[in-house]
Amino acid sequence: MSAAAQQAPDTGPTVRVLLADDQHLVRTGFRVILEVEDDIEVVGEAADGERAVIMTRATRPDVVLMDVEMPGMDGLEATRQIVADGPGAPAVLILTTFDRDDYLFAALRAGASGFLLKNGTPEELVEAIRVLARGDGLLAPEITRRVISSFARPGDPAGTAHRGPDAEAALAELTPREREVLMLLAAGSSNAEIASAIHLGEATVKTHVSRVLAKLGLRDRVQAVVFAYENGVVRPGG
């Protein structure tokens, strides 16, 4: 049994996972890694984006592991369609062999809740699934830095902030404290770091984060980072 399996909780709901990758051996490898975990169940496999969307709606997983490059409908379009199903849609974890900024930003804008490279460890994959299943986004500090850096460079995939009327109305609903929390989220701060910065307990911060996400119609803190920079709430160096 892996170290991750030994750390798995003894009780609690099983995390249901759908695998979407056009390579059969890759899907098999993921299944072998995941099925030794007591709290994770693989509920299906898809070899292309269209099938991933169909199977997601049929099996209702908690997390979809999504490859980017697949024949027909790619993983980015599949992610958009899955997330567009609204409340109750699973979290999507993008897995790719390509460490490219355009994939990263396209995945985040499509609604993905996390982004991992396939050269990571089995333990990292298992932990990422558990993080997303808890309702948290997975945005590593180095990825946060890349998002911020790109917004600082006009012409890059994420380089132009634009605030539409819907964003204006949603932001107007935030209290001053909630706006402060959003700005700290955009910096990639954890709940503990936010609590320290604004002198509140972590439980109170968690409540504020939940309210910010609800008022802005966002599914997790990853999307909060993208929203904040896309809509000019914060700017690099600001």
PDB file of all heavy atoms in Angstrom, residues 63-66 68 76 79 91-96 103-104 107-108 111-117 128-129 131-132 136-140 143 219-220 222-223:
ATOM      1  N   VAL A  63     -14.585  13.999  -9.421  1.00  0.00           N
ATOM      2  CA  VAL A  63     -13.419  14.584 -10.074  1.00  0.00           C
ATOM      3  C   VAL A  63     -13.216  13.914 -11.427  1.00  0.00           C
ATOM      4  O   VAL A  63     -13.349  12.690 -11.544  1.00  0.00           O
ATOM      5  CB  VAL A  63     -12.143  14.403  -9.216  1.00  0.00           C
ATOM      6  CG1 VAL A  63     -10.919  14.972  -9.946  1.00  0.00           C
ATOM      7  CG2 VAL A  63     -12.304  15.059  -7.853  1.00  0.00           C
ATOM      8  N   VAL A  64     -12.898  14.713 -12.450  1.00  0.00           N
ATOM      9  CA  VAL A  64     -12.530  14.182 -13.768  1.00  0.00           C
ATOM     10  C   VAL A  64     -11.064  14.471 -14.004  1.00  0.00           C
ATOM     11  O   VAL A  64     -10.636  15.631 -13.925  1.00  0.00           O
ATOM     12  CB  VAL A  64     -13.371  14.817 -14.890  1.00  0.00           C
ATOM     13  CG1 VAL A  64     -12.929  14.268 -16.258  1.00  0.00           C
ATOM     14  CG2 VAL A  64     -14.854  14.565 -14.674  1.00  0.00           C
ATOM     15  N   LEU A  65     -10.274  13.428 -14.278  1.00  0.00           N
ATOM     16  CA  LEU A  65      -8.891  13.611 -14.698  1.00  0.00           C
ATOM     17  C   LEU A  65      -8.906  13.776 -16.209  1.00  0.00           C
ATOM     18  O   LEU A  65      -9.276  12.850 -16.930  1.00  0.00           O
ATOM     19  CB  LEU A  65      -8.023  12.404 -14.313  1.00  0.00           C
ATOM     20  CG  LEU A  65      -7.915  12.044 -12.844  1.00  0.00           C
ATOM     21  CD1 LEU A  65      -6.811  11.012 -12.649  1.00  0.00           C
ATOM     22  CD2 LEU A  65      -7.660  13.260 -11.987  1.00  0.00           C
ATOM     23  N   MET A  66      -8.508  14.944 -16.695  1.00  0.00           N
ATOM     24  CA  MET A  66      -8.713  15.290 -18.100  1.00  0.00           C
ATOM     25  C   MET A  66      -7.390  15.548 -18.815  1.00  0.00           C
ATOM     26  O   MET A  66      -6.629  16.447 -18.443  1.00  0.00           O
ATOM     27  CB  MET A  66      -9.589  16.542 -18.191  1.00  0.00           C
ATOM     28  CG  MET A  66      -9.981  16.941 -19.604  1.00  0.00           C
ATOM     29  SD  MET A  66     -11.248  15.852 -20.303  1.00  0.00           S
ATOM     30  CE  MET A  66     -12.694  16.422 -19.393  1.00  0.00           C
ATOM     31  N   VAL A  68      -5.385  16.944 -22.163  1.00  0.00           N
ATOM     32  CA  VAL A  68      -5.662  18.094 -23.032  1.00  0.00           C
ATOM     33  C   VAL A  68      -5.813  17.651 -24.483  1.00  0.00           C
ATOM     34  O   VAL A  68      -6.849  17.891 -25.120  1.00  0.00           O
ATOM     35  CB  VAL A  68      -4.544  19.155 -22.925  1.00  0.00           C
ATOM     36  CG1 VAL A  68      -4.781  20.265 -23.946  1.00  0.00           C
ATOM     37  CG2 VAL A  68      -4.503  19.743 -21.524  1.00  0.00           C
ATOM     38  N   LEU A  76      -9.927  20.615 -23.321  1.00  0.00           N
ATOM     39  CA  LEU A  76     -10.329  21.957 -22.925  1.00  0.00           C
ATOM     40  C   LEU A  76     -11.807  22.196 -23.230  1.00  0.00           C
ATOM     41  O   LEU A  76     -12.551  22.719 -22.391  1.00  0.00           O
ATOM     42  CB  LEU A  76      -9.459  22.997 -23.625  1.00  0.00           C
ATOM     43  CG  LEU A  76      -7.963  22.905 -23.323  1.00  0.00           C
ATOM     44  CD1 LEU A  76      -7.195  23.948 -24.126  1.00  0.00           C
ATOM     45  CD2 LEU A  76      -7.689  23.065 -21.833  1.00  0.00           C
ATOM     46  N   THR A  79     -13.869  20.173 -20.865  1.00  0.00           N
ATOM     47  CA  THR A  79     -13.933  20.827 -19.554  1.00  0.00           C
ATOM     48  C   THR A  79     -14.977  21.927 -19.555  1.00  0.00           C
ATOM     49  O   THR A  79     -15.781  22.038 -18.623  1.00  0.00           O
ATOM     50  CB  THR A  79     -12.551  21.414 -19.188  1.00  0.00           C
ATOM     51  OG1 THR A  79     -11.610  20.346 -19.067  1.00  0.00           O
ATOM     52  CG2 THR A  79     -12.616  22.181 -17.876  1.00  0.00           C
ATOM     53  N   ALA A  91     -15.340  18.566 -10.269  1.00  0.00           N
ATOM     54  CA  ALA A  91     -14.108  19.334 -10.461  1.00  0.00           C
ATOM     55  C   ALA A  91     -13.288  18.657 -11.550  1.00  0.00           C
ATOM     56  O   ALA A  91     -13.280  17.429 -11.659  1.00  0.00           O
ATOM     57  CB  ALA A  91     -13.313  19.383  -9.160  1.00  0.00           C
ATOM     58  N   VAL A  92     -12.621  19.449 -12.374  1.00  0.00           N
ATOM     59  CA  VAL A  92     -11.796  18.910 -13.453  1.00  0.00           C
ATOM     60  C   VAL A  92     -10.328  19.173 -13.149  1.00  0.00           C
ATOM     61  O   VAL A  92      -9.932  20.310 -12.909  1.00  0.00           O
ATOM     62  CB  VAL A  92     -12.169  19.527 -14.810  1.00  0.00           C
ATOM     63  CG1 VAL A  92     -11.244  18.996 -15.906  1.00  0.00           C
ATOM     64  CG2 VAL A  92     -13.627  19.234 -15.151  1.00  0.00           C
ATOM     65  N   LEU A  93      -9.552  18.111 -13.157  1.00  0.00           N
ATOM     66  CA  LEU A  93      -8.108  18.200 -12.954  1.00  0.00           C
ATOM     67  C   LEU A  93      -7.431  17.921 -14.286  1.00  0.00           C
ATOM     68  O   LEU A  93      -7.525  16.820 -14.822  1.00  0.00           O
ATOM     69  CB  LEU A  93      -7.649  17.181 -11.904  1.00  0.00           C
ATOM     70  CG  LEU A  93      -6.138  17.075 -11.654  1.00  0.00           C
ATOM     71  CD1 LEU A  93      -5.581  18.397 -11.145  1.00  0.00           C
ATOM     72  CD2 LEU A  93      -5.847  15.957 -10.654  1.00  0.00           C
ATOM     73  N   ILE A  94      -6.795  18.933 -14.858  1.00  0.00           N
ATOM     74  CA  ILE A  94      -6.107  18.792 -16.134  1.00  0.00           C
ATOM     75  C   ILE A  94      -4.755  18.130 -15.911  1.00  0.00           C
ATOM     76  O   ILE A  94      -3.963  18.559 -15.073  1.00  0.00           O
ATOM     77  CB  ILE A  94      -5.897  20.165 -16.806  1.00  0.00           C
ATOM     78  CG1 ILE A  94      -7.244  20.826 -17.143  1.00  0.00           C
ATOM     79  CG2 ILE A  94      -5.034  20.028 -18.068  1.00  0.00           C
ATOM     80  CD1 ILE A  94      -8.015  20.172 -18.259  1.00  0.00           C
ATOM     81  N   LEU A  95      -4.485  17.066 -16.667  1.00  0.00           N
ATOM     82  CA  LEU A  95      -3.193  16.397 -16.634  1.00  0.00           C
ATOM     83  C   LEU A  95      -2.617  16.387 -18.037  1.00  0.00           C
ATOM     84  O   LEU A  95      -3.277  15.968 -18.983  1.00  0.00           O
ATOM     85  CB  LEU A  95      -3.344  14.960 -16.131  1.00  0.00           C
ATOM     86  CG  LEU A  95      -3.684  14.860 -14.650  1.00  0.00           C
ATOM     87  CD1 LEU A  95      -4.990  14.126 -14.458  1.00  0.00           C
ATOM     88  CD2 LEU A  95      -2.572  14.155 -13.907  1.00  0.00           C
ATOM     89  N   THR A  96      -1.395  16.870 -18.171  1.00  0.00           N
ATOM     90  CA  THR A  96      -0.792  16.935 -19.491  1.00  0.00           C
ATOM     91  C   THR A  96       0.711  16.753 -19.401  1.00  0.00           C
ATOM     92  O   THR A  96       1.313  16.995 -18.348  1.00  0.00           O
ATOM     93  CB  THR A  96      -1.109  18.286 -20.173  1.00  0.00           C
ATOM     94  OG1 THR A  96      -0.485  18.344 -21.449  1.00  0.00           O
ATOM     95  CG2 THR A  96      -0.612  19.444 -19.324  1.00  0.00           C
ATOM     96  N   TYR A 103      -1.784  26.296 -22.555  1.00  0.00           N
ATOM     97  CA  TYR A 103      -2.636  25.237 -22.019  1.00  0.00           C
ATOM     98  C   TYR A 103      -3.109  25.593 -20.608  1.00  0.00           C
ATOM     99  O   TYR A 103      -4.267  25.372 -20.244  1.00  0.00           O
ATOM    100  CB  TYR A 103      -1.880  23.910 -21.970  1.00  0.00           C
ATOM    101  CG  TYR A 103      -1.797  23.184 -23.294  1.00  0.00           C
ATOM    102  CD1 TYR A 103      -0.843  22.194 -23.497  1.00  0.00           C
ATOM    103  CD2 TYR A 103      -2.674  23.465 -24.336  1.00  0.00           C
ATOM    104  CE1 TYR A 103      -0.754  21.512 -24.704  1.00  0.00           C
ATOM    105  CE2 TYR A 103      -2.597  22.801 -25.544  1.00  0.00           C
ATOM    106  CZ  TYR A 103      -1.635  21.817 -25.725  1.00  0.00           C
ATOM    107  OH  TYR A 103      -1.558  21.148 -26.909  1.00  0.00           O
ATOM    108  N   LEU A 104      -2.187  26.113 -19.805  1.00  0.00           N
ATOM    109  CA  LEU A 104      -2.524  26.457 -18.433  1.00  0.00           C
ATOM    110  C   LEU A 104      -3.659  27.464 -18.380  1.00  0.00           C
ATOM    111  O   LEU A 104      -4.682  27.245 -17.712  1.00  0.00           O
ATOM    112  CB  LEU A 104      -1.288  27.015 -17.721  1.00  0.00           C
ATOM    113  CG  LEU A 104      -1.516  27.732 -16.383  1.00  0.00           C
ATOM    114  CD1 LEU A 104      -2.124  26.780 -15.365  1.00  0.00           C
ATOM    115  CD2 LEU A 104      -0.211  28.317 -15.878  1.00  0.00           C
ATOM    116  N   ALA A 107      -6.955  26.137 -19.770  1.00  0.00           N
ATOM    117  CA  ALA A 107      -7.577  25.192 -18.838  1.00  0.00           C
ATOM    118  C   ALA A 107      -8.264  25.929 -17.697  1.00  0.00           C
ATOM    119  O   ALA A 107      -9.401  25.599 -17.313  1.00  0.00           O
ATOM    120  CB  ALA A 107      -6.524  24.230 -18.291  1.00  0.00           C
ATOM    121  N   LEU A 108      -7.606  26.933 -17.143  1.00  0.00           N
ATOM    122  CA  LEU A 108      -8.204  27.687 -16.047  1.00  0.00           C
ATOM    123  C   LEU A 108      -9.443  28.438 -16.500  1.00  0.00           C
ATOM    124  O   LEU A 108     -10.466  28.466 -15.817  1.00  0.00           O
ATOM    125  CB  LEU A 108      -7.174  28.664 -15.465  1.00  0.00           C
ATOM    126  CG  LEU A 108      -5.960  28.029 -14.787  1.00  0.00           C
ATOM    127  CD1 LEU A 108      -4.997  29.103 -14.296  1.00  0.00           C
ATOM    128  CD2 LEU A 108      -6.375  27.125 -13.635  1.00  0.00           C
ATOM    129  N   GLY A 111     -12.540  26.458 -16.860  1.00  0.00           N
ATOM    130  CA  GLY A 111     -13.206  26.097 -15.610  1.00  0.00           C
ATOM    131  C   GLY A 111     -12.532  24.987 -14.844  1.00  0.00           C
ATOM    132  O   GLY A 111     -13.090  24.486 -13.866  1.00  0.00           O
ATOM    133  N   ALA A 112     -11.326  24.586 -15.273  1.00  0.00           N
ATOM    134  CA  ALA A 112     -10.608  23.543 -14.543  1.00  0.00           C
ATOM    135  C   ALA A 112     -10.290  24.014 -13.133  1.00  0.00           C
ATOM    136  O   ALA A 112     -10.036  25.194 -12.903  1.00  0.00           O
ATOM    137  CB  ALA A 112      -9.318  23.176 -15.273  1.00  0.00           C
ATOM    138  N   SER A 113     -10.302  23.080 -12.198  1.00  0.00           N
ATOM    139  CA  SER A 113     -10.013  23.406 -10.805  1.00  0.00           C
ATOM    140  C   SER A 113      -8.575  23.086 -10.425  1.00  0.00           C
ATOM    141  O   SER A 113      -8.149  23.383  -9.310  1.00  0.00           O
ATOM    142  CB  SER A 113     -10.965  22.635  -9.876  1.00  0.00           C
ATOM    143  OG  SER A 113     -12.294  23.060 -10.060  1.00  0.00           O
ATOM    144  N   GLY A 114      -7.835  22.466 -11.319  1.00  0.00           N
ATOM    145  CA  GLY A 114      -6.449  22.133 -11.025  1.00  0.00           C
ATOM    146  C   GLY A 114      -5.704  21.769 -12.288  1.00  0.00           C
ATOM    147  O   GLY A 114      -6.305  21.474 -13.329  1.00  0.00           O
ATOM    148  N   PHE A 115      -4.384  21.796 -12.205  1.00  0.00           N
ATOM    149  CA  PHE A 115      -3.535  21.554 -13.370  1.00  0.00           C
ATOM    150  C   PHE A 115      -2.276  20.855 -12.880  1.00  0.00           C
ATOM    151  O   PHE A 115      -1.555  21.385 -12.038  1.00  0.00           O
ATOM    152  CB  PHE A 115      -3.177  22.899 -14.016  1.00  0.00           C
ATOM    153  CG  PHE A 115      -2.440  22.815 -15.317  1.00  0.00           C
ATOM    154  CD1 PHE A 115      -3.110  22.924 -16.514  1.00  0.00           C
ATOM    155  CD2 PHE A 115      -1.061  22.637 -15.338  1.00  0.00           C
ATOM    156  CE1 PHE A 115      -2.435  22.875 -17.727  1.00  0.00           C
ATOM    157  CE2 PHE A 115      -0.369  22.582 -16.535  1.00  0.00           C
ATOM    158  CZ  PHE A 115      -1.062  22.699 -17.738  1.00  0.00           C
ATOM    159  N   LEU A 116      -2.017  19.652 -13.389  1.00  0.00           N
ATOM    160  CA  LEU A 116      -0.824  18.888 -13.019  1.00  0.00           C
ATOM    161  C   LEU A 116      -0.135  18.367 -14.269  1.00  0.00           C
ATOM    162  O   LEU A 116      -0.792  18.056 -15.265  1.00  0.00           O
ATOM    163  CB  LEU A 116      -1.187  17.691 -12.135  1.00  0.00           C
ATOM    164  CG  LEU A 116      -1.525  17.922 -10.661  1.00  0.00           C
ATOM    165  CD1 LEU A 116      -1.832  16.584 -10.011  1.00  0.00           C
ATOM    166  CD2 LEU A 116      -0.411  18.636  -9.920  1.00  0.00           C
ATOM    167  N   LEU A 117       1.178  18.238 -14.193  1.00  0.00           N
ATOM    168  CA  LEU A 117       1.921  17.586 -15.260  1.00  0.00           C
ATOM    169  C   LEU A 117       1.988  16.092 -14.987  1.00  0.00           C
ATOM    170  O   LEU A 117       2.014  15.653 -13.839  1.00  0.00           O
ATOM    171  CB  LEU A 117       3.338  18.159 -15.356  1.00  0.00           C
ATOM    172  CG  LEU A 117       3.434  19.638 -15.732  1.00  0.00           C
ATOM    173  CD1 LEU A 117       4.894  20.075 -15.755  1.00  0.00           C
ATOM    174  CD2 LEU A 117       2.781  19.898 -17.081  1.00  0.00           C
ATOM    175  N   ALA A 128      -3.940  15.537  -5.078  1.00  0.00           N
ATOM    176  CA  ALA A 128      -4.667  16.510  -5.892  1.00  0.00           C
ATOM    177  C   ALA A 128      -6.138  16.137  -5.996  1.00  0.00           C
ATOM    178  O   ALA A 128      -7.024  17.001  -5.908  1.00  0.00           O
ATOM    179  CB  ALA A 128      -4.045  16.588  -7.283  1.00  0.00           C
ATOM    180  N   ILE A 129      -6.416  14.870  -6.185  1.00  0.00           N
ATOM    181  CA  ILE A 129      -7.808  14.417  -6.281  1.00  0.00           C
ATOM    182  C   ILE A 129      -8.550  14.690  -4.984  1.00  0.00           C
ATOM    183  O   ILE A 129      -9.693  15.159  -4.982  1.00  0.00           O
ATOM    184  CB  ILE A 129      -7.849  12.922  -6.646  1.00  0.00           C
ATOM    185  CG1 ILE A 129      -7.398  12.737  -8.097  1.00  0.00           C
ATOM    186  CG2 ILE A 129      -9.248  12.340  -6.427  1.00  0.00           C
ATOM    187  CD1 ILE A 129      -7.188  11.295  -8.488  1.00  0.00           C
ATOM    188  N   VAL A 131      -7.842  16.955  -2.737  1.00  0.00           N
ATOM    189  CA  VAL A 131      -7.992  18.401  -2.580  1.00  0.00           C
ATOM    190  C   VAL A 131      -9.191  18.899  -3.369  1.00  0.00           C
ATOM    191  O   VAL A 131     -10.041  19.645  -2.863  1.00  0.00           O
ATOM    192  CB  VAL A 131      -6.715  19.132  -3.028  1.00  0.00           C
ATOM    193  CG1 VAL A 131      -6.963  20.630  -3.179  1.00  0.00           C
ATOM    194  CG2 VAL A 131      -5.591  18.893  -2.035  1.00  0.00           C
ATOM    195  N   LEU A 132      -9.304  18.478  -4.628  1.00  0.00           N
ATOM    196  CA  LEU A 132     -10.423  18.914  -5.456  1.00  0.00           C
ATOM    197  C   LEU A 132     -11.745  18.372  -4.950  1.00  0.00           C
ATOM    198  O   LEU A 132     -12.768  19.060  -5.002  1.00  0.00           O
ATOM    199  CB  LEU A 132     -10.194  18.502  -6.915  1.00  0.00           C
ATOM    200  CG  LEU A 132      -9.527  19.569  -7.799  1.00  0.00           C
ATOM    201  CD1 LEU A 132      -8.136  19.924  -7.292  1.00  0.00           C
ATOM    202  CD2 LEU A 132      -9.441  19.083  -9.243  1.00  0.00           C
ATOM    203  N   ASP A 136     -11.687  22.397  -2.854  1.00  0.00           N
ATOM    204  CA  ASP A 136     -10.612  23.364  -2.974  1.00  0.00           C
ATOM    205  C   ASP A 136      -9.991  23.271  -4.356  1.00  0.00           C
ATOM    206  O   ASP A 136      -9.953  22.200  -4.954  1.00  0.00           O
ATOM    207  CB  ASP A 136      -9.530  23.119  -1.922  1.00  0.00           C
ATOM    208  CG  ASP A 136     -10.038  23.326  -0.501  1.00  0.00           C
ATOM    209  OD1 ASP A 136     -10.881  24.216  -0.315  1.00  0.00           O
ATOM    210  OD2 ASP A 136      -9.599  22.591   0.404  1.00  0.00           O
ATOM    211  N   GLY A 137      -9.486  24.389  -4.852  1.00  0.00           N
ATOM    212  CA  GLY A 137      -8.777  24.373  -6.117  1.00  0.00           C
ATOM    213  C   GLY A 137      -7.313  24.039  -5.886  1.00  0.00           C
ATOM    214  O   GLY A 137      -6.782  24.216  -4.788  1.00  0.00           O
ATOM    215  N   LEU A 138      -6.674  23.560  -6.925  1.00  0.00           N
ATOM    216  CA  LEU A 138      -5.261  23.190  -6.832  1.00  0.00           C
ATOM    217  C   LEU A 138      -4.459  24.116  -7.736  1.00  0.00           C
ATOM    218  O   LEU A 138      -4.448  23.947  -8.943  1.00  0.00           O
ATOM    219  CB  LEU A 138      -5.073  21.730  -7.255  1.00  0.00           C
ATOM    220  CG  LEU A 138      -3.660  21.183  -7.085  1.00  0.00           C
ATOM    221  CD1 LEU A 138      -3.372  20.909  -5.613  1.00  0.00           C
ATOM    222  CD2 LEU A 138      -3.484  19.903  -7.886  1.00  0.00           C
ATOM    223  N   LEU A 139      -3.818  25.093  -7.135  1.00  0.00           N
ATOM    224  CA  LEU A 139      -2.997  26.024  -7.896  1.00  0.00           C
ATOM    225  C   LEU A 139      -1.686  26.186  -7.149  1.00  0.00           C
ATOM    226  O   LEU A 139      -1.600  26.890  -6.147  1.00  0.00           O
ATOM    227  CB  LEU A 139      -3.701  27.380  -8.036  1.00  0.00           C
ATOM    228  CG  LEU A 139      -3.152  28.323  -9.110  1.00  0.00           C
ATOM    229  CD1 LEU A 139      -3.253  27.690 -10.484  1.00  0.00           C
ATOM    230  CD2 LEU A 139      -3.892  29.645  -9.089  1.00  0.00           C
ATOM    231  N   ALA A 140      -0.680  25.498  -7.613  1.00  0.00           N
ATOM    232  CA  ALA A 140       0.620  25.526  -6.944  1.00  0.00           C
ATOM    233  C   ALA A 140       1.200  26.935  -6.996  1.00  0.00           C
ATOM    234  O   ALA A 140       0.914  27.706  -7.909  1.00  0.00           O
ATOM    235  CB  ALA A 140       1.575  24.540  -7.613  1.00  0.00           C
ATOM    236  N   ILE A 143       2.591  28.073 -10.264  1.00  0.00           N
ATOM    237  CA  ILE A 143       1.580  28.358 -11.280  1.00  0.00           C
ATOM    238  C   ILE A 143       0.947  29.717 -11.015  1.00  0.00           C
ATOM    239  O   ILE A 143       0.680  30.493 -11.934  1.00  0.00           O
ATOM    240  CB  ILE A 143       0.531  27.236 -11.330  1.00  0.00           C
ATOM    241  CG1 ILE A 143       1.177  25.943 -11.826  1.00  0.00           C
ATOM    242  CG2 ILE A 143      -0.635  27.618 -12.225  1.00  0.00           C
ATOM    243  CD1 ILE A 143       0.237  24.756 -11.901  1.00  0.00           C
ATOM    244  N   ARG A 219     -16.340  28.529  -8.536  1.00  0.00           N
ATOM    245  CA  ARG A 219     -16.400  27.210  -7.906  1.00  0.00           C
ATOM    246  C   ARG A 219     -15.286  26.989  -6.898  1.00  0.00           C
ATOM    247  O   ARG A 219     -15.422  26.169  -6.009  1.00  0.00           O
ATOM    248  CB  ARG A 219     -16.416  26.102  -8.952  1.00  0.00           C
ATOM    249  CG  ARG A 219     -15.189  26.001  -9.809  1.00  0.00           C
ATOM    250  CD  ARG A 219     -15.342  24.875 -10.831  1.00  0.00           C
ATOM    251  NE  ARG A 219     -15.501  23.583 -10.209  1.00  0.00           N
ATOM    252  CZ  ARG A 219     -16.527  22.763 -10.431  1.00  0.00           C
ATOM    253  NH1 ARG A 219     -17.480  23.103 -11.257  1.00  0.00           N
ATOM    254  NH2 ARG A 219     -16.602  21.607  -9.819  1.00  0.00           N
ATOM    255  N   ASP A 220     -14.156  27.701  -7.026  1.00  0.00           N
ATOM    256  CA  ASP A 220     -13.051  27.473  -6.100  1.00  0.00           C
ATOM    257  C   ASP A 220     -12.067  28.629  -6.170  1.00  0.00           C
ATOM    258  O   ASP A 220     -12.216  29.562  -6.959  1.00  0.00           O
ATOM    259  CB  ASP A 220     -12.342  26.141  -6.395  1.00  0.00           C
ATOM    260  CG  ASP A 220     -11.922  26.025  -7.853  1.00  0.00           C
ATOM    261  OD1 ASP A 220     -11.303  26.980  -8.358  1.00  0.00           O
ATOM    262  OD2 ASP A 220     -12.209  24.997  -8.486  1.00  0.00           O
ATOM    263  N   VAL A 222      -9.052  28.746  -7.264  1.00  0.00           N
ATOM    264  CA  VAL A 222      -8.344  28.865  -8.540  1.00  0.00           C
ATOM    265  C   VAL A 222      -9.075  29.843  -9.452  1.00  0.00           C
ATOM    266  O   VAL A 222      -8.472  30.744 -10.042  1.00  0.00           O
ATOM    267  CB  VAL A 222      -8.226  27.492  -9.224  1.00  0.00           C
ATOM    268  CG1 VAL A 222      -7.717  27.651 -10.646  1.00  0.00           C
ATOM    269  CG2 VAL A 222      -7.301  26.576  -8.442  1.00  0.00           C
ATOM    270  N   GLN A 223     -10.375  29.676  -9.552  1.00  0.00           N
ATOM    271  CA  GLN A 223     -11.153  30.576 -10.387  1.00  0.00           C
ATOM    272  C   GLN A 223     -11.174  31.994  -9.818  1.00  0.00           C
ATOM    273  O   GLN A 223     -11.284  32.974 -10.567  1.00  0.00           O
ATOM    274  CB  GLN A 223     -12.575  30.038 -10.543  1.00  0.00           C
ATOM    275  CG  GLN A 223     -12.652  28.695 -11.265  1.00  0.00           C
ATOM    276  CD  GLN A 223     -11.960  28.730 -12.614  1.00  0.00           C
ATOM    277  OE1 GLN A 223     -12.271  29.578 -13.442  1.00  0.00           O
ATOM    278  NE2 GLN A 223     -11.025  27.830 -12.827  1.00  0.00           N
TER     279      GLN A 223
END
